[in-house]
Amino acid sequence: MTKGETALFRMPSELAYGVEGMDGVPPNSSVQFEVELISWITVVDVCKDGGIIKKIIEKGEMMGPPGELDEVRVKYTATIDDGAIVAKTPEDGLEFYVKEGHLCPALPKAVKTMKKREKVNLVVQPHYAFGDDKKDSNTSFRSFPQSSVLRIDLELVSFKPVVDVTGDSKVLKKILKEGEGFVTADEGASVTVRYTAMLEDGTVFDKRGLDGTDAMEFVTDEEQVIAGLDRAVMTMKKGEHGLLTIKPEYGFGNAEVKQDLAIIPPISTILYEVEILDFIKEKAPWEMNDQEKIEACKRKKVEGNLLFKNGKYRRAGKKYDKALDFVSGDIPFGDDDLKLVESLRVSCWLNTAACCLKLLDFHRAVNLCSKVLDVESSNVKALYRRAQAYMETADLHLAELDIKKALETEPQNREVKLLQKSLKQLRAESNKSDAQIYTTMFSRMTKDGSTATKRLKIDNVENNNKPLEEVIAMELEETAVSSQPPEEGVAVDSS
């Protein structure tokens, strides 16, 4: 039934009063009920074990429920079975972080199922109430048995969402005021903000856009401000007001930093109360014509090159990836631009592969170089960088093939020749290691008197009675030498 519905129910005797009947109802009688559903109370088993039963007295708004990191404001009155009040909040409520909990284990668990302005009645069994734990010394409680069932009339007045910006809880953003719409100031946006920056003890060390100071303007993801502020602003909407808690790793690190209003000690957690006044987002590829896409790709590539030269390989790789977004294979280009676009893709793939090698991401380097070789099968840079990656992943045979092909294309390339020399050394070390393994293995077999070992001893006699270990090592070295390509030189442009 729905609320306000009136219905007529007809029931046979076996589903009514049966063979015994009741006052005014003869035995074996069919009966009719006219029923109106006036209202109901939703009951929720919060933990699915009967430990916390929640009766919804008044439904809340659309906002909610709060998350583990959020700060909530609640009003409650907690009583035990005899009606005695155990705890009660002030008239305007009380704030706490869900993760940190409050009063008893049941409260944060129940709050995480509620919406803003929702009112409920909780019946809490002892193991979710106070159990054997002592009560919070900072609150005024009446003495009561620890095994008491707790009844809590609870309202979720409001909550402030807290976002883990970096995923490691080292930059947290508490939203004090929601922004407009759904669009955020992501990477590359020109933003205007005002803020108050302070230490954990409340000491203000910087202000912008307040008390007569100018607002701050900067471009996100360009290292123009500390990493924590930069990362957080990229998650904010126009008009959003938030409180940032930034750990030293994303702040000023181990250094002592002198600011206009105060000195920031080393290893300081800092707070920014920041409001984003406006931002201008970088155009997306679908908003551009072909020429704009090509120019944007070139610009990002140049920015990546500068970062690479300064040793900022991770950020350089992100710039090259962004550049590729503008010339993606999914985007159609006119025939006149196709050759240039293909050249830009190849260049960005190669540059990103170079970043991956610096960052020890060898598998991605292989994939990127392979993309280049699908387009240009004899591209020496791609062969050279893929061979480097293969050597790092111990795929020496594949590295050898790439070096051989690169030398066929550019026989005098100095850097490829040097890489070939490094590969020979790596092979020799690998063979030496293999020889030691086999020597140990056959030595054990000798002790066990195996037939295979006896055969090796006979072979040893035929080899001028050389020691067994030397015979094995000699055979492996001869195999290795015979597999080496002829020494031909060449060099690659490593830019």
Side-chain angles (χ1 to χ4, degrees):
M1 299 177 70
T2 57
K3 187 176 179 180
E5 180 180 339
T6 300
L8 184 65
F9 293 92
R10 292 186 176 89
M11 285 171 270
S13 61
E14 61 269 23
L15 297 179
Y17 300 102
V19 296
E20 296 180 358
M22 67 168 290
D23 291 343
V25 181
N28 298 314
S29 295
S30 296
V31 297
Q32 294 186 158
F33 282 87
E34 186 175 303
V35 179
E36 179 184 0
L37 178 56
I38 298 170
S39 65
W40 72 87
I41 294 174
T42 302
V43 178
V44 179
D45 185 349
V46 173
C47 297
K48 312 299 182 188
D49 61 0
I52 307 171
I53 300 299
K54 180 182 82 170
K55 296 180 182 178
I56 300 177
I57 308 303
E58 189 175 314
K59 290 184 178 180
E61 301 172 4
M62 291 298 292
M63 186 178 178
E68 186 81 5
L69 297 174
D70 295 350
E71 183 182 59
V72 297
R73 177 175 287 275
V74 299
K75 292 181 183 179
Y76 65 79
T77 301
T79 61
I80 54 175
D81 287 335
D82 64 3
I85 295 177
V86 170
K88 186 175 182 178
T89 59
E91 188 62 31
D92 60 347
L94 176 147
E95 286 186 330
F96 69 93
Y97 287 99
V98 175
K99 186 177 181 180
E100 294 176 2
H102 175 71
L103 185 68
C104 66
L107 202 66
K109 290 179 184 295
V111 162
K112 285 195 290 184
T113 70
M114 297 172 67
K115 295 186 176 181
K116 183 180 177 182
R117 295 293 178 186
E118 183 176 323
K119 294 181 180 180
V120 302
N121 175 260
L122 304 178
V123 179
V124 183
Q125 298 304 315
H127 57 288
Y128 286 113
F130 299 108
D132 295 328
D133 296 330
K134 298 300 179 186
K135 298 169 286 297
D136 189 337
S137 60
N138 295 323
T139 55
S140 299
F141 287 99
R142 171 187 180 276
S143 295
F144 64 94
Q146 293 291 296
S147 59
S148 298
V149 172
L150 202 60
R151 299 182 185 276
I152 306 175
D153 291 320
L154 172 66
E155 178 185 0
L156 176 57
V157 178
S158 63
F159 66 92
K160 296 167 185 172
V162 176
V163 179
D164 185 352
V165 173
T166 51
D168 56 7
S169 298
K170 292 183 178 178
V171 179
L172 299 177
K173 178 186 74 170
K174 180 162 68 175
I175 300 174
L176 304 177
K177 176 191 164 191
E178 286 282 352
E180 304 170 10
F182 302 97
V183 180
T184 59
D186 56 7
E187 297 174 13
S190 298
V191 300
T192 304
V193 301
R194 63 183 172 200
Y195 64 74
T196 301
M198 64 200 93
L199 303 177
E200 283 187 293
D201 64 5
T203 302
V204 175
F205 63 81
D206 192 17
K207 275 188 181 182
R208 299 298 295 268
L210 299 163
D211 298 335
T213 59
D214 294 331
M216 171 174 271
E217 297 180 7
F218 65 94
V219 178
T220 58
D221 201 35
E222 292 291 344
E223 295 188 346
Q224 295 177 6
V225 296
I226 60 168
L229 178 61
D230 200 10
R231 296 275 292 270
V233 165
M234 284 191 276
T235 70
M236 297 178 74
K237 306 170 205 171
K238 184 177 177 180
E240 184 176 327
H241 188 184
L243 180 64
L244 312 180
T245 302
I246 302 172
K247 296 293 184 183
E249 294 88 336
Y250 294 92
F252 295 96
N254 298 326
E256 180 179 274
V257 180
K258 187 175 182 180
Q259 296 284 304
D260 290 341
L261 303 178
I263 293 175
I264 303 170
I267 319 177
S268 290
T269 295
I270 53 178
L271 307 176
Y272 276 78
E273 188 172 331
V274 60
E275 181 180 2
I276 184 160
L277 303 176
D278 198 7
F279 63 84
I280 300 172
K281 288 185 59 137
E282 196 171 43
K283 273 188 177 181
W286 57 269
E287 298 175 302
M288 300 179 175
N289 59 38
D290 286 0
Q291 205 54 44
E292 287 176 322
K293 292 171 193 169
I294 290 169
E295 290 305 316
C297 176
K298 288 179 179 178
R299 186 171 63 254
K300 292 294 180 186
K301 181 187 163 190
V302 169
E303 291 171 0
N305 291 346
L306 183 60
L307 289 165
F308 189 93
K309 287 176 183 176
N310 291 328
K312 298 175 180 179
Y313 306 119
R314 194 173 301 280
R315 289 194 62 229
K318 287 176 68 176
K319 288 290 183 184
Y320 296 135
D321 285 338
K322 189 73 175 176
L324 282 163
D325 288 342
F326 295 102
V327 291
S328 165
D330 298 330
I331 300 174
F333 284 90
D335 293 339
D336 295 340
D337 295 321
L338 278 177
K339 188 173 181 181
L340 174 58
V341 167
E342 188 174 274
S343 172
L344 286 169
R345 283 180 197 148
V346 166
S347 180
C348 289
W349 284 331
L350 285 170
N351 290 353
T352 311
C355 293
C356 289
L357 289 171
K358 294 288 188 182
L359 296 168
L360 310 184
D361 188 354
F362 303 118
H363 292 292
R364 189 172 182 226
V366 167
N367 291 336
L368 289 163
C369 291
S370 298
K371 284 185 176 183
V372 174
L373 295 168
D374 286 341
V375 178
E376 299 176 5
S377 60
S378 297
N379 186 296
V380 174
K381 283 186 181 179
L383 290 165
Y384 175 79
R385 288 173 188 170
R386 191 168 74 171
Q388 285 181 300
Y390 279 144
M391 287 168 65
E392 294 291 346
T393 57
D395 294 311
L396 303 187
H397 176 66
L398 295 175
E400 182 181 8
L401 294 176
D402 279 352
I403 290 172
K404 184 177 180 181
K405 189 167 184 178
L407 291 174
E408 288 171 357
T409 304
E410 293 184 15
Q412 300 306 315
N413 191 304
R414 180 175 174 276
E415 293 198 17
V416 176
K417 188 176 179 181
L418 288 173
L419 191 64
Q420 184 187 47
K421 185 177 179 181
S422 297
L423 178 62
K424 285 181 180 180
Q425 293 172 346
L426 203 58
R427 274 193 176 282
E429 291 169 5
S430 177
N431 288 336
K432 185 177 179 181
S433 175
D434 289 345
Q436 289 173 346
I437 292 170
Y438 286 122
T439 298
T440 302
M441 181 180 72
F442 284 122
S443 176
R444 288 174 181 170
M445 291 173 66
T446 301
K447 291 178 181 178
D448 295 339
S450 71
T451 303
T453 306
K454 290 176 183 178
R455 177 60 192 155
L456 281 170
K457 287 181 178 178
I458 294 169
D459 291 341
N460 185 25
V461 173
E462 294 172 359
N463 280 284
N464 301 319
N465 291 318
K466 293 181 179 178
L468 176 61
E469 292 83 355
E470 189 175 336
V471 173
I472 296 167
M474 179 185 70
E475 289 176 354
L476 288 170
E477 286 170 1
E478 286 175 354
T479 302
V481 169
S482 67
S483 66
Q484 295 297 326
E487 285 218 26
E488 297 176 295
V490 205
V492 110
D493 182 356
S494 63
S495 62

